[in-house]
Amino acid sequence: MRVLLTGGAGYIGSHTALVLLERGHEVVVLDDFSNSSREAARRVAELSGREVPVIEADLADRAAATAALDGVDFDAVIHFAGLKSVGESVAEPTRYYRVNIDSTLTLLDLMRERGVTNLVFSSSATVYGDPQYVPQDEAHRTGVGLTNPYGWSKFMIEQIIRDTFTSWPELGAVVLRYFNPVGAHPSGRIGEDPTGIPNNLMPFIAQVAVGKRERLSVFGDAYPTVDGTGVRDYIHVMDLAEGHVAALERIAPGVKTYNLGSGTGSSVLEVVRAFEEASGCPVPYTVVPPRPGDVAEVVANPSKANAELDWSTTRSLAESCRDSWAWQSANPDGYRA
Ligand code: NAD
Ligand code: WQD
């Protein structure tokens, strides 16, 4: 297939592009580089030995995106493009809704106009809100107790995709709910490159280990978990990328929803220890009060994806830490170096 990757220069998009190319597919990246760099696409081309055409356009700008994609052929779209910082979304709700929702509306109209029927969408376990039970399967309720516009935008986009299918039954869409993506390609050539202070745990730990930041703040140690710190389902980004390819290769008319997670939870302190072991560097930390909106435990039940996509994670937390460290230590300033 020839696959358009919106947001394909970003963290998950760049790894997915590489896996698609290695599987013999072709890719076209559309990105506005608001949270990424052209260098990521260049390195994907270098690692794969294949061409990675890049189109610079803002997908939320309908006229600009339509013009930029004029004459560009593709059979399927993986829609990664969007803004993803939870805290920023609380401070700038209209920007988050505009970018995330308008981008998707433009994309769906464009696909329909051109008769491109295959879509994979980046959703998030955040749509489950405050977990009613763990591990969470796809039948877990969604859209209750969401605490930020980012999460609501994912919930709304899932509904927009289902409504679009109702009016356009040829559409084949797969909604992938990611748990916590971490790690990097084992080469250390591509990885997660957050701008400013990282919001997420593993990139923060990596910057402490490499000496860019002094210590980690652990957000709370009195949760009802194994050691009192928050538990999450960390999934290696290469496993996640393979999940996209599995979904794409099985796409059929309809809307399917899958959790992409490992099924195993790890606490903040377990991640700290695993990273110290992988890097050989100390990760000093201080326990601070819980972060507003955080929950004790989020873990995937990935059985549906295991069975229907013939996909499961194969990489451990230790490998995630090793690969994250390979990326961080070789690229302490990310792609800017
Ligand atoms: P990322 O920021 O690295 O990638 C998103 C890409 O989209 C970036 O390259 C950015 O420049 C681009 N982009 C943003 N707005 C755009 C626009 N208007 N037009 C064109 N391009 C635009 O983030 P990521 O971690 O790779 O996430 C990819 C997708 O997965 C996002 O939709 C995100 O919400 C979702 N997701 C991420 C996580 C996570 O923890 N990383 C978890 C669940 C879901
Ligand atoms: C993980 C654990 C924190 C940072 C977020 C989004 C979610 C999804 C993935 C997009 C928690 C603790 C963190 C730190 C800490 N993204 N922590 N100190 O919050 O599970 O999920 O990213 O869809 O929607 O909400 O991920 O990496 O921020 O936190 O103690 O400096 O690490 O409290 O227990 P989270 P995270």
Side-chain angles (χ1 to χ4, degrees), residues 306-321:
N306 299 163
E308 295 184 17
L309 302 179
D310 191 21
W311 167 91
S312 57
T313 61
T314 61
R315 297 161 179 91
S316 64
L317 178 65
E319 285 171 278
S320 294
C321 293

Side-chain angles (χ1 to χ4, degrees), residues 124 126 150 180 199-201 217-219 232 234 291 294:
S124 169
T126 198
Y150 168 74
N180 289 57
N199 298 302
N200 296 112
L201 179 65
S217 295
V218 173
F219 300 143
R232 296 292 183 273
Y234 296 94
R291 182 170 62 179
D294 270 2

Side-chain angles (χ1 to χ4, degrees), residues 86-261:
V86 168
E88 204 173 67
S89 81
V90 173
E92 301 175 67
T94 52
R95 183 162 78 96
Y96 266 67
Y97 285 122
R98 183 169 296 119
V99 171
N100 290 2
I101 293 181
D102 267 1
S103 293
T104 308
L105 298 176
T106 295
L107 180 66
L108 287 166
D109 285 345
L110 236 144
M111 289 175 65
R112 193 165 185 174
E113 278 160 30
R114 293 171 165 225
V116 175
T117 56
N118 304 313
L119 173 69
V120 176
F121 172 62
S122 301
S123 189
S124 169
T126 198
V127 300
Y128 295 125
D130 201 358
Q132 297 298 288
Y133 55 87
V134 225
Q136 293 150 278
D137 57 15
E138 293 81 356
H140 187 285
R141 73 179 190 192
T142 59
V144 179
L146 307 191
T147 55
N148 60 80
Y150 168 74
W152 280 116
S153 78
K154 293 294 179 191
F155 174 78
M156 290 173 190
I157 293 168
E158 289 195 1
Q159 187 60 40
I160 289 167
I161 291 172
R162 288 189 290 267
D163 291 341
T164 302
F165 168 70
T166 304
S167 77
W168 180 28
E170 291 80 21
L171 177 66
V174 182
V175 169
L176 298 177
R177 294 179 180 153
Y178 313 158
F179 282 67
N180 289 57
V182 291
H185 188 262
S187 65
R189 293 293 291 159
I190 56 173
E192 184 169 14
D193 183 18
T195 40
I197 302 170
N199 298 302
N200 296 112
L201 179 65
M202 191 158 308
F204 200 105
I205 289 179
Q207 292 195 2
V208 173
V210 83
K212 281 188 78 175
R213 300 190 188 274
E214 220 171 291
R215 55 180 49 239
L216 170 73
S217 295
V218 173
F219 300 143
D221 67 352
Y223 288 110
T225 60
V226 56
D227 56 20
T229 65
V231 165
R232 296 292 183 273
D233 186 334
Y234 296 94
I235 172 171
H236 195 295
V237 68
M238 293 301 291
D239 281 329
L240 188 63
E242 288 167 7
H244 288 73
V245 180
L248 194 69
E249 291 177 350
R250 285 164 185 78
I251 224 162
V255 182
K256 295 270 197 179
T257 302
Y258 298 102
N259 285 340
L260 294 185

Side-chain angles (χ1 to χ4, degrees), residues 276-296:
E276 287 181 327
E277 205 156 299
S279 65
C281 299
V283 177
Y285 65 85
T286 309
V287 176
V288 303
R291 182 170 62 179
D294 270 2
V295 299

Side-chain angles (χ1 to χ4, degrees), residues 10-12 31-32 34-36 58-59 80 84 150 154 178:
Y11 171 44
I12 302 167
D31 206 297
D32 69 352
S34 55
N35 196 39
S36 58
D58 175 358
L59 190 57
F80 298 102
K84 65 158 181 180
Y150 168 74
K154 293 294 179 191
Y178 313 158

